[in-house]
Amino acid sequence: MSKKTISGSMQVAIEGCCHGMLNNIYRNIPKSVELLIICGDFQAIRNQGDLKCIAVPEKYLKMGDFADYYTGRKKAPVFTIFIGGNHEASNYLEELKYGGFVAPNIYYLGETGVLWYKGIRIVGWSGIYNKENFMKMRENAHVPFNRSTIRSVYHYRKDDYLKLRLLKQCNSSVVLSHDWPHEIHEYGNRDYLLKKKPFFKSDMEKGELGSPANSALLRHLKPRHWFSAHLHVRFLAKVAWNSPKRQSVDGSEAITSKKLKLDANNDDELDLGLDDCIDERIQNSVNNEKDSEGMTSNHECNADEIDLELSDSEITSSKDAVNCKVNNSEKKEDTAENENEIQLDLSEDESEGKEIRTETTTILNPTEFLALDKCLPRRRFLEILQIEKTVSSRGTHPFYLDPEYIAVLKVVNKHKDLIERLNYEQVLEPTELIHEVQQEIDEHVAEYRQLNDEDYDRLFKIDFNGFSKTANIHDRGAQLYKNSQTTTFVEKFGL
Ligand SMILES: [Fe+2]
């Protein structure tokens, strides 16, 4: 087994809701960007049949830009990964439920998925939270959809959740969700958010803003970055995992102190000292948006019925809508493999022969949350970040499936009966389930670790030429096509 060491970082563009406006998004991406991430409402509409599979008010039913990328008339100028939201051509996404290319250079992450792109680990899921449907198991969708299934198809389910919740904590990863984690607004500039979206107040007061499944995932995975969309506003937050506890609505910790204190005897005293940086970003966000257009319609938060606010006016390419924030301040060069392990050398002067005491503690990076707006003029829908690569990454190809995720996926699929019996609390905090299945997951992971390079690539490498066209752009009926990318995936992993 060989490991390739990857260090450094790369520029990644993050986009909020796409709503079929790929041309405008791509026009705004600088050449230095190596990856574009789109956080849902992508609308991969190939033909009139796909338009029958998307849940949007009739006045918003438009083909959008995607068909040109599907047919090859245009090519995505930057490699693009996206998750699904609540306004999608759900028949096409169902074809590729385990992920796959929807067009050359444009990759759908799947209902859930974990990908490695050039040394960055991307964990994500598609859809939004709905309490009732969350407790139902994921089933194959049937097309044509009826008035009910056209909506329930994009509600993520408890088995979807567990495919991510059973992963180990991944403090250096990037996580994508369309809707926000529940109460993430408590970790950013809440007043600013309310100023931009006053109608969020009632949901905030009722504790109903955001998804509890996402906040439970956030608490467990503790990723480096979390990107979302859906609520059509740019918002920053930071959740620190080592700071003194201040308040804890969802069990995580808030940011309180200002400087790094190294006290090996008290983890709670550790503070990463990044507050000023993020505060400045939030302030920048406020300043930058002073001239932006205000709220334009009445919304119900966290509902499927969020108004798309799709202006009838033509979208213009507006460079000023892009927040190019290349943040090098936290870049670490030549980090050791175990990057979060910090040696706290508490030794006295060695030359005086006194006892040397060295202790190790784990410092977790805070999670930086960023939600972005939809692609409209004067909206903050795009942001460029410099994202650190994970130090050790297997394989020499730029694009891979994640072996731990595949292990979890196999185990969750195998234990559907057990998962079906779990109640809400047992799903969100699956202690008993972990007790039952962790060994099986570990065995799969160990088996994958033993693979030689050739076998590893055969199993996990994602072929950039994997796109295969299914629907014809002239098809008019709602159809679910068989996609060879899905067939191959299912056969390969015995699902
Ligand atoms: Fe949405």
Side-chain angles (χ1 to χ4, degrees):
M1 183 181 86
S2 72
K3 272 186 176 175
K4 179 188 167 196
T5 297
I6 296 177
S7 60
S9 58
M10 71 174 177
Q11 276 191 27
V12 179
I14 318 299
E15 201 277 333
C17 292
C18 169
H19 295 307
M21 295 171 177
L22 282 171
N23 294 344
N24 192 46
I25 292 168
Y26 287 135
R27 261 200 301 272
N28 281 283
I29 306 283
K31 283 204 162 57
S32 52
V33 166
E34 293 180 61
L35 170 67
L36 166 66
I37 291 174
I38 295 178
C39 299
D41 290 350
F42 181 85
Q43 300 184 359
I45 301 163
R46 302 162 293 184
N47 54 38
Q48 292 295 315
D50 291 350
L51 275 180
K52 295 173 179 154
C53 299
I54 178 169
V56 291
E58 204 171 332
K59 64 178 177 176
Y60 296 130
L61 272 180
K62 290 179 183 155
M63 285 294 293
D65 301 332
F66 176 74
D68 281 345
Y69 296 86
Y70 180 73
T71 57
R73 208 172 78 80
K74 289 183 179 172
K75 187 178 178 197
V78 58
F79 187 66
T80 304
I81 293 175
F82 74 96
I83 54 168
N86 56 320
H87 303 294
E88 301 292 356
S90 296
N91 57 330
Y92 194 13
L93 299 194
E94 176 75 13
E95 264 184 42
L96 291 167
K97 54 167 57 196
Y98 295 109
F101 283 93
V102 294
N105 229 24
I106 304 178
Y107 193 88
Y108 169 51
L109 175 138
E111 289 169 347
T112 59
V114 183
L115 306 168
W116 284 90
Y117 184 71
K118 293 187 177 177
I120 293 180
R121 188 176 191 243
I122 301 164
V123 178
W125 63 339
S126 297
I128 60 170
Y129 179 77
N130 170 285
K131 185 163 187 178
E132 188 185 334
N133 286 329
F134 179 70
M135 289 307 291
K136 295 175 185 166
M137 299 291 283
R138 173 68 73 178
E139 288 176 358
N140 291 331
H142 297 287
V143 173
F145 296 107
N146 61 34
R147 285 171 60 86
S148 168
T149 59
I150 202 167
R151 295 182 176 283
S152 60
V153 67
Y154 57 70
H155 295 149
Y156 47 68
R157 310 305 170 98
K158 62 178 174 179
D159 44 332
D160 295 330
Y161 168 80
L162 289 167
K163 287 169 193 168
L164 303 184
R165 178 58 182 80
L166 295 183
L167 297 169
K168 294 221 159 67
Q169 180 194 97
C170 48
N171 189 233
S172 56
S173 297
V174 167
V175 174
L176 315 178
S177 67
H178 185 60
D179 52 358
W180 297 16
H182 179 236
E183 304 216 325
I184 191 71
H185 57 271
E186 297 294 342
Y187 299 86
N189 191 333
R190 187 178 186 274
D191 293 341
Y192 162 74
L193 183 61
L194 278 173
K195 192 174 159 198
K196 295 289 289 182
K197 303 279 180 184
F199 43 86
F200 285 5
K201 191 161 189 255
S202 109
D203 278 335
M204 280 183 185
E205 285 171 355
K206 287 185 282 180
E208 292 177 1
L209 189 68
S211 155
N214 276 332
S215 64
L217 272 182
L218 172 66
R219 282 198 306 272
H220 173 67
L221 297 174
K222 298 180 174 61
R224 185 70 187 90
H225 296 274
W226 188 300
F227 302 124
S228 297
H230 192 49
L231 295 183
H232 299 166
V233 63
R234 179 177 180 270
F235 184 71
L236 293 165
K238 185 172 82 166
V239 184
W241 305 109
N242 294 96
S243 296
K245 290 170 185 161
R246 184 181 63 193
Q247 52 80 43
S248 174
V249 180
D250 64 357
S252 55
E253 300 161 13
I255 310 153
T256 55
S257 41
K258 288 286 177 192
K259 59 181 182 180
L260 181 66
K261 287 187 268 180
L262 295 178
D263 181 343
N265 297 316
N266 184 358
D267 277 354
D268 280 348
E269 288 293 310
L270 289 171
D271 182 84
L272 298 175
L274 301 174
D275 308 36
D276 292 340
C277 171
I278 200 76
D279 286 347
E280 187 184 314
R281 289 179 64 181
I282 293 168
Q283 191 56 47
N284 283 342
S285 157
V286 175
N287 293 338
N288 288 340
E289 295 196 20
K290 275 182 181 165
D291 297 330
S292 298
E293 65 187 39
M295 179 265 297
T296 57
S297 64
N298 289 327
H299 294 228
E300 285 289 316
C301 294
N302 200 21
D304 298 357
E305 300 296 340
I306 286 193
D307 190 325
L308 297 176
E309 290 183 41
L310 292 174
S311 160
D312 288 337
S313 62
E314 277 298 300
I315 301 300
T316 55
S317 171
S318 63
K319 288 280 181 192
D320 63 359
V322 187
N323 192 15
C324 292
K325 199 176 292 292
V326 180
N327 183 356
N328 288 314
S329 64
E330 293 159 38
K331 185 179 171 188
K332 289 177 279 183
E333 298 286 356
D334 301 325
T335 45
E337 179 171 346
N338 197 358
E339 59 190 322
N340 290 330
E341 292 268 309
I342 293 186
Q343 290 287 334
L344 300 179
D345 186 357
L346 305 177
S347 61
E348 300 290 335
D349 185 351
E350 208 171 338
S351 63
E352 292 180 13
K354 292 180 183 172
E355 183 185 2
I356 298 169
R357 186 163 62 98
T358 302
E359 295 188 20
T360 302
T361 189
T362 300
I363 292 186
L364 294 171
N365 286 312
T367 299
E368 294 195 28
F369 174 80
L370 170 66
L372 286 161
D373 208 332
K374 59 192 165 176
C375 180
L376 280 179
R378 299 180 300 283
R379 299 300 191 95
R380 316 295 300 184
F381 62 87
L382 194 62
E383 186 146 330
I384 317 295
L385 296 177
Q386 192 78 28
I387 294 185
E388 271 183 61
K389 297 178 180 183
T390 296
V391 174
S392 290
S393 171
R394 182 86 194 267
T396 52
H397 185 70
F399 196 29
Y400 283 95
L401 297 165
D402 180 81
E404 186 198 0
Y405 170 74
I406 297 296
V408 172
L409 178 65
K410 284 168 76 90
V411 168
V412 167
N413 268 19
K414 183 181 162 192
H415 292 281
K416 276 185 175 168
D417 290 348
L418 175 59
I419 290 167
E420 197 160 12
R421 292 196 295 272
L422 299 178
N423 66 31
Y424 188 73
E425 287 72 27
Q426 290 168 327
V427 171
L428 281 195
E429 293 303 331
T431 316
E432 288 170 40
L433 181 69
I434 289 169
H435 184 72
E436 288 283 326
V437 303
Q438 189 62 54
Q439 193 179 339
E440 277 182 65
I441 295 170
D442 293 344
E443 283 168 7
H444 285 306
V445 170
E447 178 194 328
Y448 297 148
R449 239 183 238 135
Q450 300 298 321
L451 294 173
N452 62 38
D453 288 350
E454 200 179 321
D455 287 341
Y456 186 89
D457 276 7
R458 188 183 51 75
L459 216 47
F460 298 112
K461 185 173 113 176
I462 304 174
D463 181 2
F464 282 113
N465 298 314
F467 170 63
S468 65
K469 208 180 279 181
T470 49
N472 186 296
I473 55 162
H474 302 296
D475 291 346
R476 302 192 70 81
Q479 290 187 60
L480 190 54
Y481 300 87
K482 194 171 182 176
N483 196 305
S484 61
Q485 295 177 82
T486 303
T487 313
T488 304
F489 188 100
V490 168
E491 284 171 2
K492 195 189 271 188
F493 298 112
L495 300 171

PDB file of all heavy atoms in Angstrom, residues 226-247:
ATOM      1  N   TRP A 226     -18.241  23.846   6.559  1.00  0.00           N
ATOM      2  CA  TRP A 226     -19.605  23.363   6.267  1.00  0.00           C
ATOM      3  C   TRP A 226     -20.253  24.395   5.356  1.00  0.00           C
ATOM      4  O   TRP A 226     -20.342  25.573   5.719  1.00  0.00           O
ATOM      5  CB  TRP A 226     -20.405  23.206   7.572  1.00  0.00           C
ATOM      6  CG  TRP A 226     -21.742  22.534   7.363  1.00  0.00           C
ATOM      7  CD1 TRP A 226     -22.767  22.963   6.577  1.00  0.00           C
ATOM      8  CD2 TRP A 226     -22.178  21.296   7.945  1.00  0.00           C
ATOM      9  NE1 TRP A 226     -23.820  22.076   6.635  1.00  0.00           N
ATOM     10  CE2 TRP A 226     -23.486  21.046   7.475  1.00  0.00           C
ATOM     11  CE3 TRP A 226     -21.587  20.382   8.826  1.00  0.00           C
ATOM     12  CZ2 TRP A 226     -24.225  19.929   7.855  1.00  0.00           C
ATOM     13  CZ3 TRP A 226     -22.323  19.261   9.206  1.00  0.00           C
ATOM     14  CH2 TRP A 226     -23.634  19.047   8.720  1.00  0.00           C
ATOM     15  N   PHE A 227     -20.709  23.944   4.191  1.00  0.00           N
ATOM     16  CA  PHE A 227     -21.313  24.864   3.227  1.00  0.00           C
ATOM     17  C   PHE A 227     -22.782  24.499   2.975  1.00  0.00           C
ATOM     18  O   PHE A 227     -23.105  23.318   2.812  1.00  0.00           O
ATOM     19  CB  PHE A 227     -20.563  24.810   1.887  1.00  0.00           C
ATOM     20  CG  PHE A 227     -19.096  25.151   2.008  1.00  0.00           C
ATOM     21  CD1 PHE A 227     -18.116  24.268   1.560  1.00  0.00           C
ATOM     22  CD2 PHE A 227     -18.689  26.352   2.573  1.00  0.00           C
ATOM     23  CE1 PHE A 227     -16.763  24.575   1.663  1.00  0.00           C
ATOM     24  CE2 PHE A 227     -17.331  26.674   2.685  1.00  0.00           C
ATOM     25  CZ  PHE A 227     -16.378  25.782   2.226  1.00  0.00           C
ATOM     26  N   SER A 228     -23.632  25.513   2.945  1.00  0.00           N
ATOM     27  CA  SER A 228     -25.066  25.302   2.724  1.00  0.00           C
ATOM     28  C   SER A 228     -25.632  26.382   1.807  1.00  0.00           C
ATOM     29  O   SER A 228     -24.931  27.326   1.435  1.00  0.00           O
ATOM     30  CB  SER A 228     -25.828  25.327   4.059  1.00  0.00           C
ATOM     31  OG  SER A 228     -25.413  24.283   4.902  1.00  0.00           O
ATOM     32  N   ALA A 229     -26.920  26.251   1.526  1.00  0.00           N
ATOM     33  CA  ALA A 229     -27.610  27.235   0.664  1.00  0.00           C
ATOM     34  C   ALA A 229     -29.037  27.408   1.207  1.00  0.00           C
ATOM     35  O   ALA A 229     -29.216  27.707   2.373  1.00  0.00           O
ATOM     36  CB  ALA A 229     -27.611  26.739  -0.777  1.00  0.00           C
ATOM     37  N   HIS A 230     -30.020  27.246   0.398  1.00  0.00           N
ATOM     38  CA  HIS A 230     -31.438  27.086   0.725  1.00  0.00           C
ATOM     39  C   HIS A 230     -32.137  28.331   1.269  1.00  0.00           C
ATOM     40  O   HIS A 230     -33.234  28.640   0.826  1.00  0.00           O
ATOM     41  CB  HIS A 230     -31.613  25.930   1.723  1.00  0.00           C
ATOM     42  CG  HIS A 230     -33.032  25.482   1.907  1.00  0.00           C
ATOM     43  ND1 HIS A 230     -33.865  25.212   0.852  1.00  0.00           N
ATOM     44  CD2 HIS A 230     -33.779  25.262   3.032  1.00  0.00           C
ATOM     45  CE1 HIS A 230     -35.055  24.834   1.315  1.00  0.00           C
ATOM     46  NE2 HIS A 230     -35.028  24.868   2.628  1.00  0.00           N
ATOM     47  N   LEU A 231     -31.557  29.024   2.244  1.00  0.00           N
ATOM     48  CA  LEU A 231     -32.282  30.143   2.851  1.00  0.00           C
ATOM     49  C   LEU A 231     -32.008  31.471   2.133  1.00  0.00           C
ATOM     50  O   LEU A 231     -32.461  32.529   2.580  1.00  0.00           O
ATOM     51  CB  LEU A 231     -31.954  30.254   4.349  1.00  0.00           C
ATOM     52  CG  LEU A 231     -32.433  29.063   5.182  1.00  0.00           C
ATOM     53  CD1 LEU A 231     -32.132  29.267   6.665  1.00  0.00           C
ATOM     54  CD2 LEU A 231     -33.926  28.821   5.005  1.00  0.00           C
ATOM     55  N   HIS A 232     -31.267  31.397   1.047  1.00  0.00           N
ATOM     56  CA  HIS A 232     -31.098  32.548   0.159  1.00  0.00           C
ATOM     57  C   HIS A 232     -30.566  33.779   0.867  1.00  0.00           C
ATOM     58  O   HIS A 232     -31.092  34.893   0.721  1.00  0.00           O
ATOM     59  CB  HIS A 232     -32.425  32.864  -0.553  1.00  0.00           C
ATOM     60  CG  HIS A 232     -32.906  31.735  -1.409  1.00  0.00           C
ATOM     61  ND1 HIS A 232     -34.172  31.654  -1.911  1.00  0.00           N
ATOM     62  CD2 HIS A 232     -32.268  30.609  -1.852  1.00  0.00           C
ATOM     63  CE1 HIS A 232     -34.296  30.545  -2.627  1.00  0.00           C
ATOM     64  NE2 HIS A 232     -33.149  29.896  -2.597  1.00  0.00           N
ATOM     65  N   VAL A 233     -29.519  33.572   1.614  1.00  0.00           N
ATOM     66  CA  VAL A 233     -28.817  34.683   2.241  1.00  0.00           C
ATOM     67  C   VAL A 233     -27.397  34.207   2.547  1.00  0.00           C
ATOM     68  O   VAL A 233     -27.177  33.031   2.822  1.00  0.00           O
ATOM     69  CB  VAL A 233     -29.530  35.149   3.536  1.00  0.00           C
ATOM     70  CG1 VAL A 233     -29.547  34.058   4.599  1.00  0.00           C
ATOM     71  CG2 VAL A 233     -28.908  36.416   4.105  1.00  0.00           C
ATOM     72  N   ARG A 234     -26.436  35.122   2.427  1.00  0.00           N
ATOM     73  CA  ARG A 234     -25.067  34.748   2.804  1.00  0.00           C
ATOM     74  C   ARG A 234     -24.931  34.894   4.318  1.00  0.00           C
ATOM     75  O   ARG A 234     -25.339  35.904   4.899  1.00  0.00           O
ATOM     76  CB  ARG A 234     -24.056  35.661   2.109  1.00  0.00           C
ATOM     77  CG  ARG A 234     -22.613  35.349   2.468  1.00  0.00           C
ATOM     78  CD  ARG A 234     -21.670  36.252   1.663  1.00  0.00           C
ATOM     79  NE  ARG A 234     -20.287  35.966   1.986  1.00  0.00           N
ATOM     80  CZ  ARG A 234     -19.621  36.569   2.962  1.00  0.00           C
ATOM     81  NH1 ARG A 234     -20.214  37.462   3.722  1.00  0.00           N
ATOM     82  NH2 ARG A 234     -18.349  36.258   3.169  1.00  0.00           N
ATOM     83  N   PHE A 235     -24.355  33.899   4.938  1.00  0.00           N
ATOM     84  CA  PHE A 235     -24.232  33.930   6.399  1.00  0.00           C
ATOM     85  C   PHE A 235     -23.006  33.135   6.810  1.00  0.00           C
ATOM     86  O   PHE A 235     -22.745  32.054   6.286  1.00  0.00           O
ATOM     87  CB  PHE A 235     -25.490  33.316   7.044  1.00  0.00           C
ATOM     88  CG  PHE A 235     -25.484  33.407   8.546  1.00  0.00           C
ATOM     89  CD1 PHE A 235     -25.660  34.633   9.183  1.00  0.00           C
ATOM     90  CD2 PHE A 235     -25.297  32.276   9.326  1.00  0.00           C
ATOM     91  CE1 PHE A 235     -25.638  34.727  10.567  1.00  0.00           C
ATOM     92  CE2 PHE A 235     -25.290  32.356  10.709  1.00  0.00           C
ATOM     93  CZ  PHE A 235     -25.468  33.585  11.333  1.00  0.00           C
ATOM     94  N   LEU A 236     -22.256  33.702   7.748  1.00  0.00           N
ATOM     95  CA  LEU A 236     -21.061  33.037   8.275  1.00  0.00           C
ATOM     96  C   LEU A 236     -21.264  32.702   9.738  1.00  0.00           C
ATOM     97  O   LEU A 236     -21.897  33.461  10.478  1.00  0.00           O
ATOM     98  CB  LEU A 236     -19.853  33.982   8.187  1.00  0.00           C
ATOM     99  CG  LEU A 236     -19.334  34.351   6.809  1.00  0.00           C
ATOM    100  CD1 LEU A 236     -18.409  35.549   6.910  1.00  0.00           C
ATOM    101  CD2 LEU A 236     -18.595  33.167   6.209  1.00  0.00           C
ATOM    102  N   ALA A 237     -20.709  31.598  10.150  1.00  0.00           N
ATOM    103  CA  ALA A 237     -20.722  31.246  11.574  1.00  0.00           C
ATOM    104  C   ALA A 237     -19.469  30.433  11.861  1.00  0.00           C
ATOM    105  O   ALA A 237     -18.836  29.909  10.944  1.00  0.00           O
ATOM    106  CB  ALA A 237     -21.972  30.449  11.927  1.00  0.00           C
ATOM    107  N   LYS A 238     -19.110  30.356  13.111  1.00  0.00           N
ATOM    108  CA  LYS A 238     -17.973  29.507  13.483  1.00  0.00           C
ATOM    109  C   LYS A 238     -18.317  28.768  14.770  1.00  0.00           C
ATOM    110  O   LYS A 238     -18.763  29.370  15.745  1.00  0.00           O
ATOM    111  CB  LYS A 238     -16.706  30.331  13.685  1.00  0.00           C
ATOM    112  CG  LYS A 238     -15.494  29.427  13.963  1.00  0.00           C
ATOM    113  CD  LYS A 238     -14.190  30.194  13.976  1.00  0.00           C
ATOM    114  CE  LYS A 238     -13.953  30.855  15.298  1.00  0.00           C
ATOM    115  NZ  LYS A 238     -12.550  31.328  15.428  1.00  0.00           N
ATOM    116  N   VAL A 239     -18.122  27.472  14.732  1.00  0.00           N
ATOM    117  CA  VAL A 239     -18.347  26.663  15.926  1.00  0.00           C
ATOM    118  C   VAL A 239     -16.986  26.141  16.375  1.00  0.00           C
ATOM    119  O   VAL A 239     -16.321  25.396  15.660  1.00  0.00           O
ATOM    120  CB  VAL A 239     -19.292  25.473  15.641  1.00  0.00           C
ATOM    121  CG1 VAL A 239     -19.584  24.705  16.929  1.00  0.00           C
ATOM    122  CG2 VAL A 239     -20.593  25.964  15.024  1.00  0.00           C
ATOM    123  N   ALA A 240     -16.565  26.558  17.568  1.00  0.00           N
ATOM    124  CA  ALA A 240     -15.275  26.118  18.104  1.00  0.00           C
ATOM    125  C   ALA A 240     -15.495  24.879  18.958  1.00  0.00           C
ATOM    126  O   ALA A 240     -16.500  24.761  19.656  1.00  0.00           O
ATOM    127  CB  ALA A 240     -14.659  27.235  18.925  1.00  0.00           C
ATOM    128  N   TRP A 241     -14.589  23.947  18.872  1.00  0.00           N
ATOM    129  CA  TRP A 241     -14.763  22.688  19.589  1.00  0.00           C
ATOM    130  C   TRP A 241     -13.881  22.569  20.819  1.00  0.00           C
ATOM    131  O   TRP A 241     -14.031  21.639  21.598  1.00  0.00           O
ATOM    132  CB  TRP A 241     -14.489  21.502  18.664  1.00  0.00           C
ATOM    133  CG  TRP A 241     -15.328  21.560  17.440  1.00  0.00           C
ATOM    134  CD1 TRP A 241     -14.917  21.833  16.168  1.00  0.00           C
ATOM    135  CD2 TRP A 241     -16.753  21.363  17.366  1.00  0.00           C
ATOM    136  NE1 TRP A 241     -15.976  21.825  15.307  1.00  0.00           N
ATOM    137  CE2 TRP A 241     -17.119  21.535  16.015  1.00  0.00           C
ATOM    138  CE3 TRP A 241     -17.751  21.074  18.305  1.00  0.00           C
ATOM    139  CZ2 TRP A 241     -18.432  21.423  15.574  1.00  0.00           C
ATOM    140  CZ3 TRP A 241     -19.061  20.962  17.863  1.00  0.00           C
ATOM    141  CH2 TRP A 241     -19.382  21.137  16.525  1.00  0.00           C
ATOM    142  N   ASN A 242     -12.966  23.503  21.009  1.00  0.00           N
ATOM    143  CA  ASN A 242     -12.060  23.409  22.150  1.00  0.00           C
ATOM    144  C   ASN A 242     -12.185  24.601  23.092  1.00  0.00           C
ATOM    145  O   ASN A 242     -11.451  24.701  24.049  1.00  0.00           O
ATOM    146  CB  ASN A 242     -10.597  23.346  21.669  1.00  0.00           C
ATOM    147  CG  ASN A 242     -10.334  22.077  20.909  1.00  0.00           C
ATOM    148  OD1 ASN A 242     -10.396  22.063  19.697  1.00  0.00           O
ATOM    149  ND2 ASN A 242     -10.098  21.003  21.626  1.00  0.00           N
ATOM    150  N   SER A 243     -13.069  25.529  22.784  1.00  0.00           N
ATOM    151  CA  SER A 243     -13.151  26.740  23.589  1.00  0.00           C
ATOM    152  C   SER A 243     -13.953  26.515  24.855  1.00  0.00           C
ATOM    153  O   SER A 243     -14.698  25.548  24.953  1.00  0.00           O
ATOM    154  CB  SER A 243     -13.820  27.851  22.779  1.00  0.00           C
ATOM    155  OG  SER A 243     -13.016  28.167  21.691  1.00  0.00           O
ATOM    156  N   PRO A 244     -13.835  27.437  25.805  1.00  0.00           N
ATOM    157  CA  PRO A 244     -14.667  27.347  26.994  1.00  0.00           C
ATOM    158  C   PRO A 244     -16.136  27.341  26.607  1.00  0.00           C
ATOM    159  O   PRO A 244     -16.544  28.040  25.691  1.00  0.00           O
ATOM    160  CB  PRO A 244     -14.313  28.618  27.764  1.00  0.00           C
ATOM    161  CG  PRO A 244     -12.972  28.993  27.256  1.00  0.00           C
ATOM    162  CD  PRO A 244     -12.916  28.549  25.840  1.00  0.00           C
ATOM    163  N   LYS A 245     -16.903  26.551  27.324  1.00  0.00           N
ATOM    164  CA  LYS A 245     -18.323  26.444  26.992  1.00  0.00           C
ATOM    165  C   LYS A 245     -19.068  27.694  27.446  1.00  0.00           C
ATOM    166  O   LYS A 245     -18.908  28.143  28.549  1.00  0.00           O
ATOM    167  CB  LYS A 245     -18.922  25.203  27.670  1.00  0.00           C
ATOM    168  CG  LYS A 245     -18.410  23.935  27.048  1.00  0.00           C
ATOM    169  CD  LYS A 245     -18.810  22.734  27.861  1.00  0.00           C
ATOM    170  CE  LYS A 245     -18.166  21.503  27.251  1.00  0.00           C
ATOM    171  NZ  LYS A 245     -18.098  20.380  28.145  1.00  0.00           N
ATOM    172  N   ARG A 246     -19.867  28.228  26.567  1.00  0.00           N
ATOM    173  CA  ARG A 246     -20.658  29.392  26.928  1.00  0.00           C
ATOM    174  C   ARG A 246     -22.133  29.035  26.951  1.00  0.00           C
ATOM    175  O   ARG A 246     -22.797  29.116  27.938  1.00  0.00           O
ATOM    176  CB  ARG A 246     -20.417  30.516  25.913  1.00  0.00           C
ATOM    177  CG  ARG A 246     -21.141  31.806  26.281  1.00  0.00           C
ATOM    178  CD  ARG A 246     -20.899  32.870  25.240  1.00  0.00           C
ATOM    179  NE  ARG A 246     -21.436  32.471  23.953  1.00  0.00           N
ATOM    180  CZ  ARG A 246     -21.150  33.087  22.821  1.00  0.00           C
ATOM    181  NH1 ARG A 246     -20.333  34.094  22.801  1.00  0.00           N
ATOM    182  NH2 ARG A 246     -21.689  32.666  21.689  1.00  0.00           N
ATOM    183  N   GLN A 247     -22.641  28.595  25.864  1.00  0.00           N
ATOM    184  CA  GLN A 247     -24.019  28.134  25.810  1.00  0.00           C
ATOM    185  C   GLN A 247     -24.066  26.999  24.818  1.00  0.00           C
ATOM    186  O   GLN A 247     -23.204  26.854  23.985  1.00  0.00           O
ATOM    187  CB  GLN A 247     -24.972  29.253  25.407  1.00  0.00           C
ATOM    188  CG  GLN A 247     -24.600  30.000  24.139  1.00  0.00           C
ATOM    189  CD  GLN A 247     -24.975  29.271  22.881  1.00  0.00           C
ATOM    190  OE1 GLN A 247     -26.059  28.731  22.807  1.00  0.00           O
ATOM    191  NE2 GLN A 247     -24.087  29.244  21.926  1.00  0.00           N
TER     192      GLN A 247
END
